[in-house]
Amino acid sequence: MKFFVDTADTDEIKSLAEAGLIDGVTTNPSLIAKSGRNMSDVIAEICDLTTGHVSAEVVATDFETMVSEGRKLQKIASNVAVKLPLTMDGLKACRTLSDAGTAVNVTLCFSANQALLAAKAGAAYISPFIGRLDDMNIDGMEVIEEIRIIYDNYAFETEILAASIRNANHVKLSALAGADVATVPPNVLRGLANHPLTDKGLAAFLADAEKAGIKI
Ligand code: E4P
């Protein structure tokens, strides 16, 4: 399973990349706005921090402008994946950009049928939003499970990118459901390493080592 980090904070990305924990990055207009930086500058900087795909999202909603924004974003770096919303215009733009060799991440997916359309449109990634479904009392994980079955039934190559992940359990359940990628906020990613028994065990080992005077 690949891990993408879901942020436009370049310090966080740098630190997680140095730890060898990330295979790519996802951003969206809200995360870019939060960074307070110019979008092209921040995407270019992120693309230098990872060799994996960096999703950069268009802000237009009509086909022609989405394609033209997608082409501009793609020119920033060879590892940009253009992020398009799951609308009819977005799907049409997905087909055009994918046919031209651009990796497209189709975002704002909330159903298996939407994911089926994205695969038909040649998307490199489909992003089902688990957390936002859970917020509405709909089981987001069930959507991931359904997409996995449908994509496997027809050998679609579109990768399932579990998005809107809010906690460690979302990561585990996405992995169990066979998502190809999870895009995870930095704090959740770091939190995956934590276990109280690890802390307790380490404290005991270090105390014993000190008592015995072990030096390496
Ligand atoms: C990533 O591609 C999505 O934009 C992101 O995971 C959305 O997460 P949120 O629902 O927590 O905003």
Side-chain angles (χ1 to χ4, degrees):
M1 187 192 213
K2 284 183 271 189
F3 276 169
F4 287 0
V5 64
D6 196 26
T7 185
D9 180 332
T10 48
D11 289 337
E12 283 280 23
I13 296 166
K14 191 164 186 282
S15 140
L16 289 164
E18 281 168 0
L21 286 176
I22 59 167
D23 304 295
V25 176
T26 52
T27 68
N28 61 37
S30 307
L31 292 170
I32 297 287
K34 198 170 152 197
S35 78
R37 298 181 55 194
N38 170 277
M39 180 168 175
S40 304
D41 293 349
V42 75
I43 294 293
E45 194 178 328
I46 296 171
C47 286
D48 277 345
L49 296 173
T50 176
T51 52
H53 276 138
V54 175
S55 290
E57 188 162 344
V58 301
V59 290
T61 54
D62 66 284
F63 165 72
E64 281 87 6
T65 323
M66 272 195 263
V67 169
S68 124
E69 287 185 358
R71 287 182 181 138
K72 278 188 204 160
L73 291 171
Q74 215 281 314
K75 281 192 188 117
I76 296 174
S78 59
N79 55 335
V80 163
V82 174
K83 213 171 176 192
L84 299 171
L86 209 153
T87 59
M88 285 308 287
D89 277 37
L91 292 168
K92 191 174 162 192
C94 175
R95 171 49 67 201
T96 300
L97 292 170
S98 299
D99 283 351
T102 297
V104 174
N105 174 359
V106 177
T107 189
L108 291 165
C109 170
F110 295 94
S111 76
N113 278 335
Q114 287 183 313
L116 181 53
L117 291 180
K120 296 285 290 175
Y125 301 99
I126 182 67
S127 290
F129 275 34
I130 300 168
R132 293 191 196 188
L133 282 167
D134 285 359
D135 290 345
M136 293 186 68
N137 214 16
I138 296 169
D139 186 1
M141 211 50 63
E142 204 172 291
V143 175
I144 304 259
E145 288 162 5
E146 290 171 350
I147 299 170
R148 182 73 281 154
I149 292 169
I150 291 168
Y151 281 11
D152 289 349
N153 281 348
Y154 299 99
F156 283 121
E157 286 177 9
T158 303
E159 292 189 52
I160 303 172
L161 196 172
S164 188
I165 281 184
R166 305 274 170 76
N167 54 54
N169 208 36
H170 279 158
V171 177
K172 182 181 84 174
L173 294 175
S174 298
L176 286 170
D180 300 286
V181 192
T183 189
V184 187
N187 62 322
V188 176
L189 191 45
R190 290 180 196 286
L192 299 181
N194 296 340
H195 198 288
L197 289 179
T198 303
D199 297 342
K200 195 176 162 198
L202 182 59
F205 286 155
L206 293 180
D208 287 344
E210 199 180 331
K211 254 188 264 160
I214 297 173
K215 297 256 181 294
I216 298 170

